[in-house]
Amino acid sequence: MSLRTIRILLWLPLAAFLIVLALVAAGLIRPHDNSVRSQMIGKPLPAFSLPSTRPGQPPLTSASFADGKVRLINIFGSWCIPCAEEMPQLQTLKQSGAVIEGIASRDRPADSLGFLRRYGDPYDRIGDDSQSALQIAIGSSGVPETYVIDGKGLIRLQHIGPIGPQDIGDILAAIRDAQG
Amino acid sequence: MIAETGLIALWIAAAFAALQACLGLAVLKAGGEDLMRAVRPVAIAQAVMTATAFGALLLVFYRTDLSVKLVVDDSATTLPTLYRITGAWGNHEGSMLMWVTILALAGAAVALFERRLPERTLAATIAAQGVIALGFFAFLLFSSNPFARVYDVPAEGNGFNPLLQDPGLAFHPPTLYVGYVGLSVAFSFAVGALLTRDVGPAFARAMRPWVLGAWMFLTLGITAGSYWAYYELGWGGWWFWDPTENASLMPWLAATALLHSVTVLATRDGLRAWTVMLAVVAFSMSMVGTFLVRSGVLTSVHAFALDPRRGAFILVLLALYIGGALALFGARIATVSEGNRFEPVSREGALVVNNLLLSVILAIVLIGTLYPLFTEAMGTKVSVGPPYFNATAGPIALILVAVMAAGPVMRWRRDQIVAVGKRIAIPAVLVIVALAVALWWAPGLHILPLLGLALAAGTAAASVAPLWKRNLRRTPLFTWGMVVAHFGVAVSLAGMASESAFTQETLVAARPGEMVRVGPYAVRFAAIEPVAGENYTAVQATLVATRGTATPITLRPAQRTFDNPPQQTSESAIATRPDGQLYTVVGEPVPGGRWQLRLWWKPFVTLIWLGGTLIAIGGALSLIGRSLPRRRKAEEQSGFARFR
């Protein structure tokens, strides 16, 4: 190697550092997204059939989702405090025309129904997922979680954690997208 | 008043740091006995003031002064005394203040005790320390004031993260910070040496104790942190390649390389540019690590303050310090004259290979840590997990261990391949025997654990080879240090390989009264009942484990519920036996009166941390040996120090 090349090589560490710096600065400036994305987005709902939590109603099945209608799936539990917190937002979504299907995760039907009596019932149908089998199949890591399912039964959006007043706009937009 | 005293002390300390930087630069420029005499007291005054500020913080935390915002956010009167005090550094602002306190104390120590450096280099070094401290003072005073008051004094604080309420974690950050800050001194030495173009054996000998000390504390900190994560997080693993773990591993890798190259520079006057480079890189890595876990740029299992504004502040500091040092390196290092040459087959040669391998691992870890950031900038979200790191860093680490085994039996400057081969014949045979035994004993073993076990056996033998046929009582302490540290690596490697090869796991939902098997143990789920602790309530399981005819062991894993802040932690219960650990966790209740139980049998897992501790002890022995001046000079100059 000539002396000249060596002289240039000595600046390589600085160049490498500047690249890392630019990268990190970009990461810092961009709005940060800490959510865990389900691998299921863009994929069809896994096949399932859950008995209804409400006595005397037909079971909630995956087949019923591919009827051209956009729906929300909301996973909740009567034992989950943030689930109670997001109930007003679910009511707002319902009033805006969203169809919401509930999945009662790791719950007894009596407890679920008691929870809905207390906090209001925004759900069209409720499936009893007492072993959280669907929850695992759908790639959900906790409750509450909300999914937007389009008319073909494809998962379009996953919202992790309680829906706050500030999230309603995003979810309605996702519903419109799914319809479009 | 205490909080204000702390804040005022912090401002005065910042002023002293500025003065220290100016005086140091003045000496560098003009020289001068008088100025140099003024530098030392200023550095000491800076340290006293910073320590006063930190003392004030400890006091407001000890008293749980709820008019200080930080105390409100991170403490409560109901906390046990230990955590009321350690809460002072269990948060962003307090830990940064502790960081700068250790930095200031280290700077004062350099000013007080450093006699080996020429005056101008010392002045430049102290100036560099002043500049580093100044940046962090600015950070504390302008964006992370630990003494900010609240005007509506609440009746109670928000409590302290329950995961941090553990003696292990109370002392883990101070240990790690001493390591990071020790590296800042090495960094300042390198900057000083670059400014005066004075990179030689004297510089290396002055820097070496700092590197050794920093490396020893980093080793201890990482070992303790790993054990904490293992027993406190309750997931049964000991290393997750989480960004926070990598943040301390990266400076450790660089410091390990530096430790070895600084020895070449001190004893053989070789590897000048490389040593300076590593000193810059090592501290850069601790700053990058601090930045990564403090800024929230990367998602980590460890919850830290997620605040982009503070992140931006540290990023600017990072750009100035590291960018400045690397620019100085690029501009100056070519004018530093080349050191001594050596043959490829020699102690120096082995150390160069060791350095390169360590650098490759460092690059792998750095790339893996930053890769999610890179892809996120490109629009996709990925996470890089243990499979990547294990598959890439694992094999190289094994090669590194093999080189480590061979290095100490080689001679400085020039050696014969055949002679080296003879010296490592016994360890090599041991590797092959261990390989054969492992294959016969457990035929289905995965390749990495298999090689790890075999190499551990050979390395253990090779690492004690330098003591062969020596008068043990007259063997220098730093040789003992090297032997113990290298032996520690073998012990750790054996633990890691054994854990990954032989761990057995049982996950069940069991009713009280049921029997569960894991490894050699039959575990009876005897009972589950509520218990109350000092500031939590818990559900505690009683497990009785029996193995053959040995006395049954009772384990009590629990799920703790803290109400301030509301959080659940799972307290594992671990039984340690000479041949491994039985690790138990009780999980959530399952409908039908059953409870999730997770049981692991982990053969020889404790060797991982025993090895880590041995490595740190080795560092301590070397440090003591290097600080004792007698006989060293003669040996270093004669070149006859065969095994060192």
Side-chain angles (χ1 to χ4, degrees), chain B residues 209-223:
Chain B
W210 290 97
V211 178
L212 254 173
W215 177 82
M216 182 187 88
F217 277 100
L218 277 179
T219 310
L220 269 182
I222 292 172
T223 306

PDB file of all heavy atoms in Angstrom, chain B residues 209-223:
ATOM      1  N   PRO B 209      -3.081   0.776  33.598  1.00  0.00           N
ATOM      2  CA  PRO B 209      -3.877   0.528  34.816  1.00  0.00           C
ATOM      3  C   PRO B 209      -5.325   0.983  34.671  1.00  0.00           C
ATOM      4  O   PRO B 209      -6.234   0.334  35.190  1.00  0.00           O
ATOM      5  CB  PRO B 209      -3.173   1.364  35.885  1.00  0.00           C
ATOM      6  CG  PRO B 209      -1.899   1.825  35.317  1.00  0.00           C
ATOM      7  CD  PRO B 209      -1.906   1.610  33.855  1.00  0.00           C
ATOM      8  N   TRP B 210      -5.537   2.073  33.947  1.00  0.00           N
ATOM      9  CA  TRP B 210      -6.908   2.569  33.761  1.00  0.00           C
ATOM     10  C   TRP B 210      -7.718   1.589  32.936  1.00  0.00           C
ATOM     11  O   TRP B 210      -8.875   1.323  33.230  1.00  0.00           O
ATOM     12  CB  TRP B 210      -6.884   3.940  33.086  1.00  0.00           C
ATOM     13  CG  TRP B 210      -6.344   4.984  34.009  1.00  0.00           C
ATOM     14  CD1 TRP B 210      -5.071   5.458  34.053  1.00  0.00           C
ATOM     15  CD2 TRP B 210      -7.051   5.639  35.049  1.00  0.00           C
ATOM     16  NE1 TRP B 210      -4.945   6.377  35.055  1.00  0.00           N
ATOM     17  CE2 TRP B 210      -6.148   6.515  35.682  1.00  0.00           C
ATOM     18  CE3 TRP B 210      -8.368   5.583  35.511  1.00  0.00           C
ATOM     19  CZ2 TRP B 210      -6.523   7.324  36.749  1.00  0.00           C
ATOM     20  CZ3 TRP B 210      -8.740   6.390  36.573  1.00  0.00           C
ATOM     21  CH2 TRP B 210      -7.817   7.250  37.184  1.00  0.00           C
ATOM     22  N   VAL B 211      -7.072   1.081  31.890  1.00  0.00           N
ATOM     23  CA  VAL B 211      -7.778   0.120  31.032  1.00  0.00           C
ATOM     24  C   VAL B 211      -8.082  -1.145  31.829  1.00  0.00           C
ATOM     25  O   VAL B 211      -9.202  -1.669  31.796  1.00  0.00           O
ATOM     26  CB  VAL B 211      -6.930  -0.210  29.795  1.00  0.00           C
ATOM     27  CG1 VAL B 211      -7.644  -1.239  28.935  1.00  0.00           C
ATOM     28  CG2 VAL B 211      -6.644   1.039  28.989  1.00  0.00           C
ATOM     29  N   LEU B 212      -7.073  -1.604  32.574  1.00  0.00           N
ATOM     30  CA  LEU B 212      -7.258  -2.813  33.388  1.00  0.00           C
ATOM     31  C   LEU B 212      -8.397  -2.634  34.388  1.00  0.00           C
ATOM     32  O   LEU B 212      -9.273  -3.487  34.511  1.00  0.00           O
ATOM     33  CB  LEU B 212      -5.975  -3.093  34.164  1.00  0.00           C
ATOM     34  CG  LEU B 212      -5.108  -4.247  33.694  1.00  0.00           C
ATOM     35  CD1 LEU B 212      -3.805  -4.261  34.476  1.00  0.00           C
ATOM     36  CD2 LEU B 212      -5.815  -5.575  33.832  1.00  0.00           C
ATOM     37  N   GLY B 213      -8.381  -1.490  35.071  1.00  0.00           N
ATOM     38  CA  GLY B 213      -9.409  -1.233  36.080  1.00  0.00           C
ATOM     39  C   GLY B 213     -10.788  -1.160  35.440  1.00  0.00           C
ATOM     40  O   GLY B 213     -11.744  -1.787  35.904  1.00  0.00           O
ATOM     41  N   ALA B 214     -10.876  -0.397  34.351  1.00  0.00           N
ATOM     42  CA  ALA B 214     -12.162  -0.249  33.668  1.00  0.00           C
ATOM     43  C   ALA B 214     -12.673  -1.609  33.198  1.00  0.00           C
ATOM     44  O   ALA B 214     -13.836  -1.965  33.391  1.00  0.00           O
ATOM     45  CB  ALA B 214     -12.007   0.690  32.470  1.00  0.00           C
ATOM     46  N   TRP B 215     -11.766  -2.377  32.618  1.00  0.00           N
ATOM     47  CA  TRP B 215     -12.132  -3.695  32.077  1.00  0.00           C
ATOM     48  C   TRP B 215     -12.604  -4.618  33.196  1.00  0.00           C
ATOM     49  O   TRP B 215     -13.594  -5.339  33.034  1.00  0.00           O
ATOM     50  CB  TRP B 215     -10.902  -4.264  31.367  1.00  0.00           C
ATOM     51  CG  TRP B 215     -11.084  -5.621  30.815  1.00  0.00           C
ATOM     52  CD1 TRP B 215     -11.674  -5.945  29.627  1.00  0.00           C
ATOM     53  CD2 TRP B 215     -10.646  -6.849  31.399  1.00  0.00           C
ATOM     54  NE1 TRP B 215     -11.639  -7.299  29.452  1.00  0.00           N
ATOM     55  CE2 TRP B 215     -11.015  -7.880  30.519  1.00  0.00           C
ATOM     56  CE3 TRP B 215      -9.983  -7.175  32.582  1.00  0.00           C
ATOM     57  CZ2 TRP B 215     -10.734  -9.217  30.780  1.00  0.00           C
ATOM     58  CZ3 TRP B 215      -9.710  -8.497  32.852  1.00  0.00           C
ATOM     59  CH2 TRP B 215     -10.077  -9.504  31.944  1.00  0.00           C
ATOM     60  N   MET B 216     -11.924  -4.537  34.337  1.00  0.00           N
ATOM     61  CA  MET B 216     -12.304  -5.384  35.468  1.00  0.00           C
ATOM     62  C   MET B 216     -13.719  -5.034  35.942  1.00  0.00           C
ATOM     63  O   MET B 216     -14.553  -5.921  36.159  1.00  0.00           O
ATOM     64  CB  MET B 216     -11.299  -5.159  36.581  1.00  0.00           C
ATOM     65  CG  MET B 216     -11.519  -5.981  37.800  1.00  0.00           C
ATOM     66  SD  MET B 216     -10.359  -5.437  39.071  1.00  0.00           S
ATOM     67  CE  MET B 216     -11.280  -4.151  39.841  1.00  0.00           C
ATOM     68  N   PHE B 217     -14.009  -3.737  36.058  1.00  0.00           N
ATOM     69  CA  PHE B 217     -15.338  -3.346  36.519  1.00  0.00           C
ATOM     70  C   PHE B 217     -16.416  -3.677  35.491  1.00  0.00           C
ATOM     71  O   PHE B 217     -17.526  -4.082  35.838  1.00  0.00           O
ATOM     72  CB  PHE B 217     -15.364  -1.856  36.881  1.00  0.00           C
ATOM     73  CG  PHE B 217     -14.843  -1.596  38.265  1.00  0.00           C
ATOM     74  CD1 PHE B 217     -13.554  -1.138  38.471  1.00  0.00           C
ATOM     75  CD2 PHE B 217     -15.640  -1.845  39.370  1.00  0.00           C
ATOM     76  CE1 PHE B 217     -13.066  -0.920  39.745  1.00  0.00           C
ATOM     77  CE2 PHE B 217     -15.165  -1.628  40.651  1.00  0.00           C
ATOM     78  CZ  PHE B 217     -13.872  -1.165  40.839  1.00  0.00           C
ATOM     79  N   LEU B 218     -16.062  -3.491  34.205  1.00  0.00           N
ATOM     80  CA  LEU B 218     -17.030  -3.858  33.162  1.00  0.00           C
ATOM     81  C   LEU B 218     -17.348  -5.343  33.254  1.00  0.00           C
ATOM     82  O   LEU B 218     -18.502  -5.760  33.165  1.00  0.00           O
ATOM     83  CB  LEU B 218     -16.465  -3.549  31.777  1.00  0.00           C
ATOM     84  CG  LEU B 218     -16.589  -2.131  31.256  1.00  0.00           C
ATOM     85  CD1 LEU B 218     -15.953  -2.034  29.875  1.00  0.00           C
ATOM     86  CD2 LEU B 218     -18.047  -1.725  31.170  1.00  0.00           C
ATOM     87  N   THR B 219     -16.295  -6.151  33.429  1.00  0.00           N
ATOM     88  CA  THR B 219     -16.491  -7.602  33.524  1.00  0.00           C
ATOM     89  C   THR B 219     -17.422  -7.936  34.682  1.00  0.00           C
ATOM     90  O   THR B 219     -18.385  -8.697  34.531  1.00  0.00           O
ATOM     91  CB  THR B 219     -15.142  -8.310  33.733  1.00  0.00           C
ATOM     92  OG1 THR B 219     -14.229  -7.838  32.751  1.00  0.00           O
ATOM     93  CG2 THR B 219     -15.282  -9.809  33.621  1.00  0.00           C
ATOM     94  N   LEU B 220     -17.131  -7.322  35.840  1.00  0.00           N
ATOM     95  CA  LEU B 220     -17.980  -7.562  37.018  1.00  0.00           C
ATOM     96  C   LEU B 220     -19.409  -7.114  36.757  1.00  0.00           C
ATOM     97  O   LEU B 220     -20.371  -7.814  37.076  1.00  0.00           O
ATOM     98  CB  LEU B 220     -17.442  -6.774  38.213  1.00  0.00           C
ATOM     99  CG  LEU B 220     -16.440  -7.467  39.119  1.00  0.00           C
ATOM    100  CD1 LEU B 220     -16.081  -6.537  40.268  1.00  0.00           C
ATOM    101  CD2 LEU B 220     -16.994  -8.774  39.659  1.00  0.00           C
ATOM    102  N   GLY B 221     -19.541  -5.916  36.164  1.00  0.00           N
ATOM    103  CA  GLY B 221     -20.866  -5.355  35.912  1.00  0.00           C
ATOM    104  C   GLY B 221     -21.673  -6.232  34.973  1.00  0.00           C
ATOM    105  O   GLY B 221     -22.857  -6.488  35.203  1.00  0.00           O
ATOM    106  N   ILE B 222     -21.033  -6.709  33.918  1.00  0.00           N
ATOM    107  CA  ILE B 222     -21.729  -7.554  32.945  1.00  0.00           C
ATOM    108  C   ILE B 222     -22.114  -8.884  33.587  1.00  0.00           C
ATOM    109  O   ILE B 222     -23.231  -9.381  33.423  1.00  0.00           O
ATOM    110  CB  ILE B 222     -20.852  -7.778  31.701  1.00  0.00           C
ATOM    111  CG1 ILE B 222     -20.696  -6.468  30.936  1.00  0.00           C
ATOM    112  CG2 ILE B 222     -21.450  -8.846  30.807  1.00  0.00           C
ATOM    113  CD1 ILE B 222     -19.692  -6.538  29.809  1.00  0.00           C
ATOM    114  N   THR B 223     -21.187  -9.452  34.352  1.00  0.00           N
ATOM    115  CA  THR B 223     -21.467 -10.732  35.019  1.00  0.00           C
ATOM    116  C   THR B 223     -22.648 -10.583  35.975  1.00  0.00           C
ATOM    117  O   THR B 223     -23.591 -11.385  35.947  1.00  0.00           O
ATOM    118  CB  THR B 223     -20.222 -11.191  35.797  1.00  0.00           C
ATOM    119  OG1 THR B 223     -19.104 -11.206  34.910  1.00  0.00           O
ATOM    120  CG2 THR B 223     -20.418 -12.571  36.372  1.00  0.00           C
TER     121      THR B 223
END
